[in-house]
Amino acid sequence: MDKDTLVEVQDLKTYFFTDEGVVKAVDGVDFSIKKGKTLCVVGESGCGKSITARSIMRLIDPPGRIVEGSIKYVNGEGVEIDLTALSPKGQEIRKIRGMEISMIFQEPMSSLSPVHTIGEQIRESIRLHLGLSKEAAKERTIEVLKEVGIPKAEERYDNYPFQLSGGMRQRVMIAMALACKSRLLIADEPTTALDVTTQANILDLIQGLQKEYEMSVMFITHDLGVVAEIADDAVVMYLGKVVERGPVDAIFHDPKHPYLISLLRSIPQLTAGKMERLDSIRGMVPHPFNRPSGCPFHPRCDRAIKGRCDAAAPPRVILGPGREVSCFLYEEGRS
Ligand code: SF4
């Protein structure tokens, strides 16, 4: 791993073994998260984004499990650890989870206890991870509540989650990550349930704090507008696979994979004519038990090559540093 990399995911496979069959939710995924940078993972619902994030946190519940691959992480002491080798319930991952790597979800209520005040929850998290006294932890809690823009932080300390708006609850979750000085924040669609103004505020907050604390961010979204705003690098996923990845400028200005090109064409353009129709991607994401043969995108792809795209998995083609695409159109001699 190079010195700028915080997390390197290699050939990660996370499968779910159900009575109906095996769901290959994540099927051979590779990417890296750089120190102090934002990586956006983008794709439609069901493409494996959240399971990839939960695999990093080792939060996969049975019947799911990581069956192959590695997730290398450089901890606060500079030691490289393969997170897949740790017991999901062991001491070592518990120390990393919540302290070094934090995760926020679309609905913060799912991570906050409804029967404890927000102050108590952040304070206890600080005490557990940083070993501070009760008084010092309370002081630090109020400090971080202020840092994430919660007004009257001293009073809010005694509020229960249900007394706060969705945007405020999301700020509380970010405060929790900050309080423990997390090195990586994994945000799983954290702004999807919020109105646009609150969404913009939360994105600004994450970006501002990231710069200040040099935190790395893995941001999961289906919204390419969010990617354009905050990403340094982007990974595009489809049916458990990375179909394209690279620096965000290249992703937007020189997209290669037909799926990414279709996604970009389906964004409304301010410059479009009044009556211009918005492109949509033909068909639906297939059911996980009916995974297409060959390239998983071939039933929806306008450029699919008969007898090739439906018969074999497309090659991974390296286009430049940190930039690659999985598609037959770019194999040697064709592009
Ligand atoms: Fe389309 Fe074939 Fe490329 Fe898949 S490999 S995206 S089906 S052209």
Side-chain angles (χ1 to χ4, degrees):
M1 254 164 88
D2 71 53
K3 62 175 180 31
D4 297 328
T5 303
L6 183 71
V7 177
E8 189 164 277
V9 175
Q10 281 178 324
D11 198 26
L12 180 69
K13 294 184 181 171
T14 305
Y15 294 175
F16 288 78
F17 298 87
T18 71
D19 291 342
E20 289 82 31
V22 179
V23 177
K24 296 178 176 177
V26 176
D27 195 20
V29 158
D30 293 86
F31 63 86
S32 55
I33 306 170
K34 299 199 187 94
K35 290 177 185 165
K37 301 283 181 198
T38 298
L39 172 84
C40 278
V41 182
V42 65
E44 290 164 289
S45 299
C47 67
K49 309 181 295 276
S50 296
I51 300 298
T52 304
R54 294 184 75 89
S55 300
I56 295 175
M57 295 293 278
R58 299 303 315 274
L59 285 174
I60 301 293
D61 292 323
R65 72 184 145 85
I66 295 174
V67 294
E68 228 177 286
S70 63
I71 303 168
K72 290 187 187 136
Y73 165 68
V74 181
N75 74 7
E77 279 127 42
V79 179
E80 192 177 299
I81 301 170
D82 182 358
L83 300 181
T84 63
L86 305 182
S87 158
K89 294 201 164 80
Q91 279 284 94
E92 220 173 327
I93 190 71
R94 279 166 193 255
K95 260 201 229 158
I96 295 172
R97 195 165 52 210
M99 175 144 169
E100 298 202 16
I101 306 179
S102 297
M103 189 159 175
I104 57 176
F105 299 90
Q106 184 174 332
E107 181 35 82
M109 275 307 254
S110 59
S111 328
L112 290 166
S113 159
V115 296
H116 295 97
T117 67
I118 56 154
E120 282 169 351
Q121 294 185 56
I122 302 177
R123 186 193 68 202
E124 286 317 298
S125 175
I126 293 176
R127 291 190 71 196
L128 179 74
H129 292 301
L130 302 182
L132 296 184
S133 69
K134 212 168 172 176
E135 291 68 35
K138 181 174 178 181
E139 226 169 87
R140 175 78 185 129
T141 302
I142 293 172
E143 211 175 276
V144 287
L145 286 175
K146 283 180 184 164
E147 272 182 75
V148 298
I150 293 191
K152 298 183 186 158
E154 287 86 355
E155 287 170 38
R156 290 292 187 192
Y157 181 94
D158 292 319
N159 279 176
Y160 289 90
F162 74 85
Q163 294 176 291
L164 303 178
S165 66
M168 282 296 164
R169 285 200 287 262
Q170 210 52 287
R171 284 176 193 266
V172 169
M173 289 308 299
I174 296 169
M176 193 114 56
L178 273 190
C180 296
K181 299 192 171 80
S182 293
R183 305 175 69 234
L184 170 64
L185 175 69
I186 300 180
D188 188 358
E189 306 257 10
T191 56
T192 305
L194 304 175
D195 62 78
V196 279
T197 314
T198 315
Q199 171 173 334
N201 289 340
I202 295 288
L203 291 181
D204 283 350
L205 174 67
I206 292 177
Q207 278 186 295
L209 295 170
Q210 177 187 26
K211 275 199 195 107
E212 198 178 328
Y213 290 89
E214 291 198 334
M215 188 168 65
S216 302
V217 176
M218 175 179 174
F219 200 102
I220 294 167
T221 182
H222 61 270
D223 185 340
L224 283 162
V226 170
V227 180
E229 197 173 325
I230 65 166
D232 293 295
D233 298 292
V235 163
V236 185
M237 286 186 72
Y238 187 77
L239 272 190
K241 292 191 181 286
V242 172
V243 294
E244 184 161 348
R245 68 178 170 121
V248 74
D249 281 351
I251 292 287
F252 277 93
H253 296 120
D254 188 22
K256 297 291 188 194
H257 197 279
Y259 175 57
L260 174 59
I261 293 170
S262 304
L263 279 180
L264 288 167
R265 282 197 188 135
S266 63
I267 302 176
Q269 303 285 330
L270 277 176
T271 49
K274 224 178 180 182
M275 299 303 285
E276 225 163 278
R277 278 180 73 90
L278 209 55
D279 276 357
S280 60
I281 307 177
R282 176 163 54 84
M284 307 268 288
V285 178
H287 189 280
F289 291 131
N290 291 328
R291 202 189 176 78
S293 57
C295 170
F297 188 57
H298 86 258
R300 305 174 76 189
C301 181
D302 294 331
R303 299 181 69 189
I305 309 156
K306 245 188 163 196
R308 188 145 179 77
C309 295
D310 51 356
R316 249 172 61 182
V317 182
I318 308 290
L319 304 167
R323 174 113 169 87
E324 63 177 55
V325 62
S326 282
C327 178
F328 282 116
L329 297 174
Y330 303 96
E331 64 186 343
E332 221 176 314
R334 196 177 274 275
S335 58

